[in-house]
Amino acid sequence: MHSRRNFLRTAFGGLTFGGLGTMTAIGGFSRLSLLNAMTQPTGSYRALVCIFLYGGNDSNNLVIPLDSTSLASYKQFRGALALDPTTLVDLNSGFGMHSKFVDIKPIMSNIAMVANVGTLVKPTTRASYLSNQAALPNNLFSHADQQGEMQTAVADGLSTTGWAGRLADQMSHMNSGSYPLLVSVAGNALMNVGASTHPASVTPNVAPGLRGIGNDAGSQARLTALESLISQDSLLTDSGAVLLKAASNNMSNSLKDAAALNTALKSSTPFKTVFPATSIGQQLDQVAKLIQVRQALNMNRQIFFVSLGGFDTHTAQLNSQDTLFSQLSPALAAFYAATEELTIADQVTTFTESDFSRTFTPNTNGGTDHAWGSHHIVMGASVKGGQMYGTFPTIVPNGPDDAGGEGRWIPTTAVDQYAATLAQWFGLPAASLPAVFPNIGNFTKTDLGFFG
């Protein structure tokens, strides 16, 4: 994607993208999909907002069981990484969250935790893992592979589409406008790639469209030349011109999306809610602005991708997590407040994903190493909050849920099940789950129950 964009920048020196780019599969948004979108009924608005925590968040310090047995194990095996239980934010369900999440304490009834989620091909036990009888995800414990598998919900092979992209393919008929159902405010993401739909990419606080285009004759001449080239390239039939045609379709879609968004944003009004000036705060601020103009874009369904990096905490984890959670918590609180301001808090669900969790036992550098199952946050007024969903692991190294001896929890909930619960709230019929989650048939439960 970057090479195509650089090619076009080189060819048109004065033109650069500001705030919006579009990724598309070759063939793009088909005429059949557009026709389907115009003929299918629409429904009430719903949005999913994924916050991907890159690097592998140590969720052992995100949420902690407060019963005496678990606390004793926690203090014993976490060692120098153990948090003071008296500082935790009470989830009102026998668990406490990291103290930096104090910002979301007032909305804890709208916050659910989902325990021990990870990439799985099939349900796996410690016995089957240790005896090499389990079907395992490809390249388990690898950052790049597990990030991809969390975003595709395909643990046993390479996938060129993400689960949100496939969900968009199934749900695009819910929108009567032409603006993409999928939007990333954190750059390109595999999660957003569909087979028949294309996602948009919006840069926070940057006006969408091309920079370097004014009303002067030179600017208009460059724009006319670009549009002419795009229209000619899109008509190419030579099989050797596939890349050029794809790049032209990509640029064409981007220009159309930018124009539509610019028009819609004219109807927006400033929020009373103040977002943090951090990267994650500004990303969620941008998402809120896009949600605000949903009606101008004729959107009934939207999916957003947001990210926060820095969770690969092999060293100095306590300070790193304090810093990261101090950014995430107020950003979540501000975003929820913005959805309340828009009176659609029950129509927007925010959730986290990450590569994996980290070892329960610390390493010798004040950090932790790559592990597997991880606990995740789900937030929204439709969420049955203040509860833990799924099966929390027995937090004892070499215990029944450990893949080895360092506290690498074998997931008890597949990302397929976690995402399928979100997808069904989004409006995906249960019968269509296999089209989005190819391995969902390997798991008995397809709704974890965290929606009211």
Side-chain angles (χ1 to χ4, degrees), residues 188-355:
N188 294 351
L190 177 57
M191 183 170 172
N192 285 12
V193 178
S196 62
T197 55
H198 71 270
S201 180
V202 177
T203 303
N205 300 319
V206 178
L210 291 170
R211 293 195 297 269
I213 294 295
N215 294 321
D216 59 285
S219 292
Q220 291 304 306
R222 290 200 305 275
L223 179 58
T224 300
L226 175 60
E227 291 171 339
S228 176
L229 277 177
I230 290 173
S231 63
Q232 291 177 34
D233 291 344
S234 65
L235 297 175
L236 291 173
T237 57
D238 186 348
S239 60
V242 171
L243 181 60
L244 183 58
K245 183 175 180 179
S248 296
N249 286 339
N250 193 44
M251 177 66 85
S252 179
N253 284 330
S254 297
L255 292 173
K256 292 175 183 176
D257 294 341
L261 184 56
N262 271 323
T263 300
L265 287 173
K266 292 177 181 178
S267 65
S268 66
T269 57
F271 280 101
K272 294 179 181 178
T273 300
V274 178
F275 281 83
T278 58
S279 172
I280 186 69
Q282 292 306 292
Q283 288 178 59
L284 287 172
D285 183 16
Q286 184 66 66
V287 170
K289 291 172 181 175
L290 294 171
I291 290 175
Q292 186 187 44
V293 298
R294 65 197 180 280
Q295 292 177 336
L297 291 169
N298 295 310
M299 307 297 288
N300 286 301
R301 293 292 185 276
Q302 287 183 292
I303 303 174
F304 299 94
F305 185 86
V306 176
S307 74
L308 179 62
F311 287 92
D312 193 16
T313 50
H314 288 283
T315 60
Q317 177 175 297
L318 285 177
N319 290 336
S320 295
Q321 272 200 323
D322 278 359
T323 299
L324 292 166
F325 289 162
S326 293
Q327 295 173 27
L328 180 58
S329 174
L332 286 172
F335 183 67
Y336 188 84
T339 63
E340 286 190 312
E341 189 176 334
L342 293 171
T343 67
I344 55 166
D346 62 336
Q347 296 169 273
V348 180
T349 296
T350 305
F351 64 97
T352 61
E353 282 197 356
S354 190
D355 321 15

Side-chain angles (χ1 to χ4, degrees), residues 114-183:
V114 185
N116 206 16
V117 178
T119 55
L120 287 172
V121 179
K122 295 179 179 180
T124 301
T125 64
R126 175 176 166 87
S128 65
Y129 178 86
L130 294 178
S131 63
N132 295 318
Q133 299 300 308
L136 297 178
N138 290 346
N139 298 317
L140 190 58
F141 312 129
S142 153
H143 281 298
D145 294 282
Q146 297 310 294
Q147 287 168 9
E149 291 169 26
M150 286 294 291
Q151 292 186 33
T152 63
V154 178
D156 55 350
L158 296 176
S159 175
T160 58
T161 58
W163 69 258
R166 296 191 297 271
L167 178 58
D169 291 342
Q170 295 291 316
M171 299 295 293
S172 62
H173 66 273
M174 296 294 293
N175 295 334
S176 57
S178 60
Y179 193 75
L181 187 154
L182 287 153
V183 180

